[in-house]
């Protein structure tokens, strides 16, 4: 069948189901950040992530990425400041990556692609009681995006890389504790871009204040190769599919302004 333009299935998304552009969506993610069109916002406060490594609980393969989950039943691991008015609670982080180092990130900077992108997902615990509630509201979520580039081995990431073989298949879980996600943030967290967007996987909820770090972190080629050893498929399925290219195609800006914390 001939797909209508709105629902063109990119070859890079064999696993993608559902619309690539949410019908009626005017604040979809990811986007290209055109630096010369960003607007400096002098009112941004310093970003203050305060993460307690003891809230780290497990790693699981959800068939799209691997998620490092945090206990979000209390305000022990939070994000405040920057563009945010409220306190946001960390619930999980995950990555998106390509089959080669030439692509993999969801956001781009002046069309520059990175081999991977980290997302630290938080929800507004001042206004809502549960993530599931917050995900339905336009001020419900805050996601920090950090680009990954190939370079030196990332010693903090290695602890996570070492357990990935235990979650090779979809729906596999492994206990994972005492991991401080702050070690995955770049040295400089004062320079970032922020815009109003959405989840980049279903339900594509337009609930996200995105905070994209200007400075990437470095990981080694071998560390990223372990990401690519994961599978989209569960242990029972006959045909195993490598978990690669788990990024969404970029979405129209629809008049949105991307603000910057720096000039
Ligand atoms: N499935 C219908 C009800 O959905 C309830 C909430 O959906 C939770 C599942 N999705 C997520 O939590 C979720 C979180 C972050 C991102 S991303 N890649 O935008 O950071 C994408 C998805
Ligand atoms: Zn993501």
């Amino acid at each position: 069948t001939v797909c209508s333009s709105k629902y063109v299935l990119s070859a890079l998304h064999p696993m993608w189901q559902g619309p690539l552009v949410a019908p009626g969506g005017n604040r979809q993610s990811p986007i290209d950040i055109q630096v010369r069109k960003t607007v400096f916002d002098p009112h941004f406060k310093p970003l203050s992530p305060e993460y307690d490594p003891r809230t780290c609980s497990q790693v699981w393969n959800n068939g799209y990425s691997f998620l490092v989950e945090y206990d979000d039943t209390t305000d022990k691991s939070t994000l405040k400041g920057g563009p945010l008015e409220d306190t946001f609670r960390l619930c999980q982080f995950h990555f998106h990556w390509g089959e080669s180092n030439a692509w993999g990130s969801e956001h781009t900077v002046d069309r520059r692609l990175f081999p991977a992108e980290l997302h630290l997902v938080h929800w507004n615990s001042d206004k809502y009681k549960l993530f599931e509630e917050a995900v339905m509201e336009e001020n419900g979520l805050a996601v920090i995006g950090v680009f990954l580039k190939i370079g030196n081995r990332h010693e903090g990431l290695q602890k996570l890389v070492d357990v990935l073989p235990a979650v090779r298949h979809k729906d596999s879980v492994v206990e994972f504790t005492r991991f401080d996600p702050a070690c995955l943030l770049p040295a400089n967290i004062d320079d970032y871009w922020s815009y109003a967007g959405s989840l980049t996987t279903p339900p594509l909820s337009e609930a996200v204040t995105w905070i994209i770090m200007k400075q990437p972190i470095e990981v080694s080629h071998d560390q990223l190769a372990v990401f690519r050893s994961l599978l989209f498929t569960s242990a029972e399925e006959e045909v195993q599919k490598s978990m690669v290219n788990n990024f969404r195609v970029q979405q129209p800006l629809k008049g949105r302004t991307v603000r910057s914390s720096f000039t």
Side-chain angles (χ1 to χ4, degrees), residues 27-28 72 88-89 91-92 121-125 127-143 197-210:
R27 54 172 283 189
Q28 287 291 295
D72 62 357
F88 287 70
R89 219 176 260 181
C91 61
Q92 54 105 330
V121 183
H122 312 73
W123 56 274
N124 189 329
S125 56
K127 293 210 163 50
Y128 310 108
K129 287 193 294 295
L130 293 169
F131 171 87
E132 283 69 22
E133 261 180 73
V135 76
M136 320 286 276
E137 308 294 335
E138 65 176 39
N139 59 358
L141 304 181
V143 182
S198 75
L199 299 181
T200 64
T201 62
L204 303 173
S205 316
E206 298 189 330
V208 183
T209 298
W210 279 96

Side-chain angles (χ1 to χ4, degrees), residues 174-215:
V174 66
E175 187 186 38
F176 190 66
T177 57
R178 289 186 308 284
F179 184 82
D180 180 3
C183 81
L184 297 176
L185 295 173
N188 172 13
I189 62 168
D190 295 333
D191 292 359
Y192 55 82
W193 297 284
S194 182
Y195 76 98
S198 75
L199 299 181
T200 64
T201 62
L204 303 173
S205 316
E206 298 189 330
V208 183
T209 298
W210 279 96
I211 299 168
I212 309 287
M213 291 292 144
K214 179 185 172 197
Q215 184 181 30

Side-chain angles (χ1 to χ4, degrees), residues 45-253:
K45 298 180 187 62
L47 204 56
S48 60
E50 291 178 20
Y51 300 140
D52 179 344
R54 290 170 303 177
T55 56
C56 188
S57 63
Q58 62 181 26
V59 183
W60 74 288
N61 178 333
N62 70 350
Y64 193 78
S65 182
F66 62 92
L67 275 65
V68 180
E69 298 205 303
Y70 283 75
D71 164 25
D72 62 357
T73 54
T74 70
D75 262 350
K76 281 205 184 96
S77 289
T78 58
L79 175 65
K80 294 194 289 284
L84 306 173
E85 300 291 320
D86 297 318
T87 296
F88 287 70
R89 219 176 260 181
L90 175 69
C91 61
Q92 54 105 330
F93 71 82
H94 63 274
F95 299 81
H96 303 262
W97 59 92
E99 65 193 291
S100 92
N101 291 336
W103 65 80
S105 62
E106 297 210 298
H107 292 88
T108 50
V109 181
D110 289 339
R111 293 282 164 214
R112 178 185 174 188
L113 285 156
F114 291 84
E117 184 173 332
L118 159 65
H119 290 157
L120 292 141
V121 183
H122 312 73
W123 56 274
N124 189 329
S125 56
D126 277 350
K127 293 210 163 50
Y128 310 108
K129 287 193 294 295
L130 293 169
F131 171 87
E132 283 69 22
E133 261 180 73
V135 76
M136 320 286 276
E137 308 294 335
E138 65 176 39
N139 59 358
L141 304 181
V143 182
I144 295 178
V146 182
F147 295 115
L148 275 63
K149 63 182 263 196
I150 302 298
N152 300 319
R153 187 174 124 119
H154 194 295
E155 291 312 327
L157 180 68
Q158 192 55 36
K159 200 184 147 202
L160 175 53
V161 167
D162 285 340
V163 302
L164 292 185
V167 290
R168 191 152 186 260
H169 288 101
K170 177 180 177 192
D171 299 329
S172 47
V173 193
V174 66
E175 187 186 38
F176 190 66
T177 57
R178 289 186 308 284
F179 184 82
D180 180 3
C183 81
L184 297 176
L185 295 173
N188 172 13
I189 62 168
D190 295 333
D191 292 359
Y192 55 82
W193 297 284
S194 182
Y195 76 98
S198 75
L199 299 181
T200 64
T201 62
L204 303 173
S205 316
E206 298 189 330
V208 183
T209 298
W210 279 96
I211 299 168
I212 309 287
M213 291 292 144
K214 179 185 172 197
Q215 184 181 30
I217 59 170
E218 287 189 20
V219 303
S220 70
H221 174 90
D222 290 356
Q223 288 180 310
L224 212 43
V226 178
F227 284 23
R228 300 187 185 107
S229 73
L230 297 177
L231 300 169
F232 280 126
T233 43
S234 57
E236 296 74 44
E237 294 175 67
E238 296 76 45
V239 181
Q240 303 289 331
K241 294 189 176 81
S242 293
M243 184 179 276
V244 293
N245 302 325
N246 53 359
F247 52 84
R248 188 189 190 193
V249 292
Q250 296 197 333
Q251 303 296 309
L253 195 54

